[in-house]
Amino acid sequence: MSDDALSNLLHEDRRFPPPADLAANANVTAETYAAADADFEGFWAEQAKRLSWGTEPTKTLDWSNAPFATWYEDGTLNAAYNCLDRHVEAGNGDKVAFHFVGEPGDTRDITYAELTKEVCQAANALTDLGVEAGDRVAIYLPMIPEAVVAMLACARIGAPHTVVFGGFSADALATRIKDCGVEVVITADGGYRRGSAAALKPAVDEALTECPDVNHVLVIKRTEQETAMTEGRDVWWHDAVGNASPEHTPQNFPAEQPLYIMYTSGSTGQPKGILHTTAGYLVGCAYTHWAAFDLKDDDVFWTAADIGWVTGHSYLVYGPLANGATSVMYEGTPDTPHKGRWWEIIEKYKVTILYCAPTAIRTFMKWGADIPAKFDLSSLRVLGSVGEPINPEAYVWYRTNIGGDKVPVVDTWWQTETGMHMISPMPGVTEGKPGAAMKAVPGVVVDVVNDEGKPVGNGHGGYLVVTKPWPAMLRTIWGDDQRFKDTYWSRFEGVYFAGDGAKKDEDGDIWVLGRVDDVMNVSGHRMSTTEIESALVSHERVAEAAVVGATDETTGQAIVAFVILRAGEGETADDAETIVQTLRNHVAKEISPIAKPRQIMVVEELPKTRSGKIMRRLLRDIAENRELGDVTTLQDSSVMNLIKDNLESSKED
Ligand code: PRX
């Protein structure tokens, strides 16, 4: 981030104070910050009271074996009981947990009592399939209620789940299944996407050719499409779960029982299995969901994110359910069958809190404000943003056109690793600034440091770090403690390095600027440049590849690849074009359609330093059509012209 860009940001002088009625009844007040500052552990011991425990913890944090933390270590609890049964026992069995909206227009309201019953049945069915506490279960599903049921059924029996985004390929699924030793997979025949039924089960079948340890696949019927079942291995959900007993006594597990593993991209080709455990994670999600969204009993909350990402885990499943909230769950895309679909849903269910990614907001901006203007959005009272930096224009558009020029926007910064919000405005306290994530949430301590790890002053930029442990923190990378230490805890002594760049403005408020490593953020999805490079070079026609994230108006960043073909390939223009298509499809197959490069440029050489390192910054400049920097350290500077020429002619519409 250049100083110019910083000063542009700092020229943002619009301020939005909290609405008076929200401030008057706010969950979080200035005192909350004071309480957390005065007694860090006491604050988090207090937050633990949000949960129902089998055995109440007497300890809060143990950091003596840093960076391996334990939280509430001697407590015991059941995560599913906390998300379900206790609300039913408290008399809220008839409260709606989810208003489910399928893409084709089918809807289903699921109460806490109904969800509890289904989870008990699914827990019994999993036990019958031989799943025991500690066993890993993979969940590969569209956005349907059974995805929540499956997660909570695993949690109920102490079996960590690993949810793999339904848009990932068979290869990506296989990699994850093998990495954490999954024995049971839960999937569906298919799901609805953009108006048609897309099959899912064939990808599982393909993945399992490489995964001999998987002995059962539970298959949910969603689309009713023809689905091949392997005898002895595959079981229909409606048979196994439908016929199971709805009685299930939840067992209390230790606070540090693994709850789930969520894979995310790092700066190498191998995805990292981020491990979250039970009590600290649930405390962190319940507290932040209550705090950042100012959650009240009668709110209708909507996280418009897929369950396959951490946002879906923390703020569609665990946070809202631990808080006994009512949520919307939507299966499909925002433009099916029309571009007002989200606003129609908000109007229908009187949604009060909407939580989504800036990419969605920028897309809606492009479609035009007249679309949401046709719907009654007056129920909204808090708007959230997550996953990528929100540019001030998008923030103000969101506030104005969706929030009727009065609803506060909370820009929440966090990560798969942090499990919960870390930096965010508090809607009843913070005077919002468009584009700024503002301050750490009460109970979280962050800083921005320079290369030497020294805090920067106001008006300066550096690396974002978290200086104290927090309850929902990742405990390790599954099976790789060393990588956990190296990635997060060795860049700066004793503090968590998030991999993001940030600035403190003149008031000391934080602006998160994006990744400083080889990780891209495309539409709020995290992707590693190396992972896509490996996918490209795994194709027989590719000799070498370099991938960069280029700034993109809608998706934040877009993937641009530079490839060198093996000799004899791509010699004619026609051939080069075919190869580009082939390679884009190859990446989609290896990883996911979301990893498809926006552009692939066939080049003859890649710019390298004398020591042979690819000059990514330069490639990024080219991909963004910026003025080139100093190229004198290039082995051969003529390559740059070549690359540039190629870029002009190979841009995709
Ligand atoms: O670069 C930051 C960006 O998303 C990364 C985390 O990605 P992931 O683990 O997939 O989690 C996304 C959902 C929490 C961060 O390292 N990021 C996330 N939220 C913001 C953000 N960047 C700027 N502002 C945010 N509010």
Side-chain angles (χ1 to χ4, degrees), residues 262-265 274 309-311 315 355 358 385-390 410-418 420-421 423 435 437 464 496 498-501 511-517 519-521 524-527:
M262 154 98 7
Y263 284 86
T264 190
S265 297
I274 303 301
W309 310 112
V310 75
T311 305
Y315 300 107
Y355 192 37
S385 168
V386 59
E388 13 158 11
I390 180 162
V410 292
D411 173 16
T412 60
W413 176 85
W414 59 295
Q415 307 176 297
T416 303
E417 291 87 340
T418 70
M420 66 184 218
H421 298 154
I423 307 177
L464 187 57
Y496 173 84
D500 278 313
W511 300 66
V512 180
L513 304 172
R515 305 290 310 189
V516 294
D517 52 12
V519 172
M520 296 172 291
N521 192 330
H525 299 147
R526 210 163 132 175
M527 236 119 27

Side-chain angles (χ1 to χ4, degrees), residues 14-16 33 395 409-413 422-426 429-441 446 448 464 503-505 507-512:
R14 287 169 287 191
R15 297 288 180 273
F16 298 110
Y33 285 95
Y395 177 112
V409 173
V410 292
D411 173 16
T412 60
W413 176 85
M422 301 296 278
I423 307 177
S424 173
M426 291 293 133
V429 190
T430 314
E431 182 168 86
K433 289 177 192 173
M438 307 299 292
K439 291 203 186 325
V441 308
V446 303
V448 180
L464 187 57
K503 299 278 182 184
K504 288 183 194 165
D505 70 13
D507 306 320
D509 292 325
I510 293 174
W511 300 66
V512 180

Side-chain angles (χ1 to χ4, degrees), residues 515-546:
R515 305 290 310 189
V516 294
D517 52 12
D518 291 333
V519 172
M520 296 172 291
N521 192 330
V522 182
S523 302
H525 299 147
R526 210 163 132 175
M527 236 119 27
S528 132
T529 53
T530 332
E531 203 178 342
I532 298 172
E533 284 164 5
S534 331
L536 285 167
V537 296
S538 76
H539 193 276
E540 57 193 14
R541 302 180 77 173
V542 176
E544 216 179 324

Side-chain angles (χ1 to χ4, degrees), residues 472-487:
M473 66 198 287
L474 76 165
R475 297 302 193 260
T476 189
I477 292 175
W478 185 264
D480 202 344
D481 287 348
Q482 192 57 45
R483 188 172 178 197
F484 168 67
K485 289 192 211 167
D486 293 346
T487 309

Side-chain angles (χ1 to χ4, degrees), residues 245-266:
S245 159
E247 303 297 323
H248 185 272
T249 308
Q251 181 190 337
N252 288 312
F253 292 102
E256 287 295 337
Q257 177 81 8
L259 180 64
Y260 71 83
I261 301 153
M262 154 98 7
Y263 284 86
T264 190
S265 297

